[in-house]
């Protein structure tokens, strides 16, 4: 009787140990993917899966002209100039300023600051929907970089410097198919700087 009980206990212990080993093995083998940089290159062609339609499109007054390069603030101008400097270093032509993109980028930066997060998609509105909201209906390629920084004397230059260290962002800056670009910023009340850099070829 005792021997039978002892054998049962040993069998139960063996099963428990096996289960612990299996679960431990599964837990230690699970690998989380590293976070990816927030940068995208989006092409407008039938093979691209369209983003789901948002229930509400932001009103950005498509008929109102966006800021020219002369009307851009110092942070925006600095990021624009530094981006073209990086392209020149790599033997690429300079991008031209696009006023519609600046309006769109400023709106994105402001919404990110006010809603407290960093994302290409706000309230379900992706890059395509935001372009449509400012009246950009036709283009061949569209891309975007976003950034946030705080406490730097040169936030525009610093953003470009950091983007160039990130493969996804760098790819957008050095993309040969882009022809135009603009940067739109928003400075929060605490001094935090949100930057959106949008690229296009129409």
């Amino acid at each position: 009787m005792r021997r039978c009980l002892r054998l049962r206990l040993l069998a139960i212990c063996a099963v428990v140990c096996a289960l612990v080993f299996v679960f431990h093995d599964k837990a230690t083998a699970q690998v989380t993917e590293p976070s990816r940089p927030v940068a995208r290159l989006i092409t407008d062609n039938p093979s691209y899966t369209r983003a789901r339609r948002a229930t509400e499109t932001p009103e950005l007054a498509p008929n109102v002209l966006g800021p020219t390069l002369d009307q851009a603030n110092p942070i925006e101008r600095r990021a624009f100039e530094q981006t073209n400097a990086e392209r020149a270093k790599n033997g690429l032509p300079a991008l031209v300023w696009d006023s519609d993109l600046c309006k769109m980028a400023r709106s994105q930066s402001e919404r990110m600051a006010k809603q407290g997060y960093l994302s290409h998609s706000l309230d379900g509105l992706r890059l395509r929907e935001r372009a449509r909201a400012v009246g950009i209906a036709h283009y061949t390629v569209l891309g975007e970089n976003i950034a946030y920084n705080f406490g730097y004397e040169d936030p525009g230059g610093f953003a470009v410097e950091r983007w160039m260290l990130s493969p996804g962002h760098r790819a957008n800056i050095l993309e040969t198919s882009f022809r135009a670009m603009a940067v739109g910023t928003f400075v929060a009340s605490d001094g935090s700087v949100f930057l959106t850099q949008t690229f296009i070829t129409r």
Side-chain angles (χ1 to χ4, degrees), residues 22-35:
V22 168
F23 286 126
H24 174 72
D25 189 49
K26 283 185 178 177
T28 54
Q30 188 176 4
V31 178
T32 56
E33 289 185 15
S35 59

Side-chain angles (χ1 to χ4, degrees), residues 33-52:
E33 289 185 15
S35 59
R36 292 184 172 180
V38 186
R40 290 181 184 167
L41 176 65
I42 299 176
T43 53
D44 188 22
N45 60 56
S47 66
Y48 179 76
T49 304
R50 292 189 175 273
R52 80 179 164 79

Side-chain angles (χ1 to χ4, degrees), residues 124-144:
L125 296 168
R126 299 194 181 203
L127 192 51
R128 287 178 177 229
E129 283 84 5
R130 290 188 280 110
R132 202 174 298 127
V134 295
I136 301 172
H138 304 288
Y139 54 86
T140 56
V141 64
L142 188 65
E144 185 174 78

Side-chain angles (χ1 to χ4, degrees), residues 18-201:
L19 287 173
V20 167
F21 176 79
V22 168
F23 286 126
H24 174 72
D25 189 49
K26 283 185 178 177
T28 54
Q30 188 176 4
V31 178
T32 56
E33 289 185 15
S35 59
R36 292 184 172 180
V38 186
R40 290 181 184 167
L41 176 65
I42 299 176
T43 53
D44 188 22
N45 60 56
S47 66
Y48 179 76
T49 304
R50 292 189 175 273
R52 80 179 164 79
R53 261 183 202 281
T55 54
E56 188 179 330
T57 301
E59 293 299 326
L60 296 180
N63 297 325
V64 177
L65 292 174
T68 64
L69 183 55
D70 289 336
Q71 295 167 331
N73 66 45
I75 300 172
E76 293 164 346
R77 271 198 308 275
R78 173 75 168 147
F80 178 77
E81 290 162 1
Q82 286 300 107
T83 296
N84 276 332
E86 292 294 343
R87 287 177 66 86
K89 284 182 197 173
N90 287 273
L92 298 173
L95 298 170
V96 298
W97 182 265
D98 187 300
S99 296
D100 290 336
L101 291 185
C102 182
K103 179 171 59 173
M104 175 178 147
R106 281 184 176 180
S107 175
Q108 173 75 355
S109 292
E110 182 176 359
R111 294 178 77 207
M112 287 192 298
K114 291 182 174 176
Q115 295 183 29
Y117 62 97
L118 202 65
S119 173
H120 291 281
S121 176
L122 292 174
D123 302 326
L125 296 168
R126 299 194 181 203
L127 192 51
R128 287 178 177 229
E129 283 84 5
R130 290 188 280 110
R132 202 174 298 127
V134 295
I136 301 172
H138 304 288
Y139 54 86
T140 56
V141 64
L142 188 65
E144 185 174 78
N145 288 339
I146 57 177
Y148 155 89
N149 62 55
F150 176 79
Y152 290 91
E153 288 182 19
D154 180 12
F158 177 76
V160 175
E161 179 187 314
R162 301 307 295 177
W163 282 331
M164 288 300 291
L165 297 175
S166 162
H169 296 85
R170 180 187 174 90
N172 273 350
I173 289 173
L174 301 181
E175 173 57 46
T176 57
S177 64
F178 289 136
R179 297 289 176 267
M181 181 264 290
V183 179
T185 63
F186 185 83
V187 181
S189 57
D190 66 353
S192 301
V193 182
F194 289 79
L195 303 96
T196 302
Q197 179 182 51
T198 312
F199 305 86
I200 199 167
T201 298

